[in-house]
Amino acid sequence: MAARLSGNEQRLVSLPLSRIRVIMKSSPEVSSINPDAIFLTAKATELFVQYLATHSYKHGQGKENKALTYSDLSRTAEKSETFQFLADILPKKILASKYLKMLEKEKEGEEEEEEEEAAKVAVAAPAEEESANDTS
């Protein structure tokens, strides 16, 4: 049925079916794709994006300005259990300088942990030697 999509049926989806076909065929496991599957995938994708945008707009701060912002989408991915799988794709935006500071703090924390571990090993080693001397 969908193999012979008329002009009216193609207008039921906004996404280009040829692009969806290319994306689907990029999987090595796929050898052939039914045109109905391409159409349904396009429609499902549109509905998902619409739902994500509507949910983000209703629960976001952009509603005050009557605008949907990236931060609204990012916050939705972070806070909503339904969209949690998008958290890596829609991360919070931060300035590069803040990110570099975070990396420095993380590196300092790791160095402190290593120093603590080394101190524990140094303290534990003499105690082990004493216990070994006591048993011999």
Side-chain angles (χ1 to χ4, degrees):
M1 285 183 212
R4 300 180 205 121
L5 290 176
S6 67
N8 292 337
E9 289 173 329
Q10 284 183 337
R11 291 186 192 140
L12 293 175
V13 292
S14 299
L15 297 173
L17 298 178
S18 60
R19 298 281 183 176
I20 292 172
R21 181 182 300 111
V22 168
I23 292 169
M24 291 173 79
K25 282 200 169 208
S26 69
S27 174
E29 301 160 359
V30 175
S31 58
S32 65
I33 303 167
N34 185 329
D36 290 336
I38 296 170
F39 176 79
L40 291 174
T41 301
K43 193 62 181 174
T45 303
E46 285 183 13
L47 292 172
F48 172 76
V49 171
Q50 181 180 7
Y51 180 66
L52 172 63
T54 303
H55 187 275
S56 298
Y57 180 77
K58 286 180 180 177
H59 296 90
Q61 295 175 345
K63 192 173 183 180
E64 299 164 359
N65 304 332
K66 295 189 177 186
L68 178 63
T69 63
Y70 179 87
S71 60
D72 293 335
L73 292 168
S74 176
R75 195 173 300 108
T76 297
E78 183 182 341
K79 304 281 184 192
S80 173
E81 190 174 320
T82 304
F83 299 109
Q84 191 71 46
F85 71 98
L86 294 173
D88 292 338
I89 298 169
L90 294 169
K92 275 188 170 180
K93 283 187 177 180
I94 60 170
L95 297 174
S97 58
K98 286 185 180 179
Y99 180 70
L100 292 174
K101 287 179 184 177
M102 286 173 43
L103 286 177
E104 287 175 13
K105 287 181 183 177
E106 190 175 296
K107 187 176 179 182
E108 289 172 4
E110 288 176 1
E111 289 174 357
E112 289 175 6
E113 287 178 12
E114 288 175 4
E115 289 173 4
E116 290 175 8
E117 287 291 323
K120 287 179 185 176
V121 169
V123 169
E128 289 174 6
E129 287 178 14
E130 288 177 14
S131 64
N133 290 337
D134 291 341
T135 56
S136 52

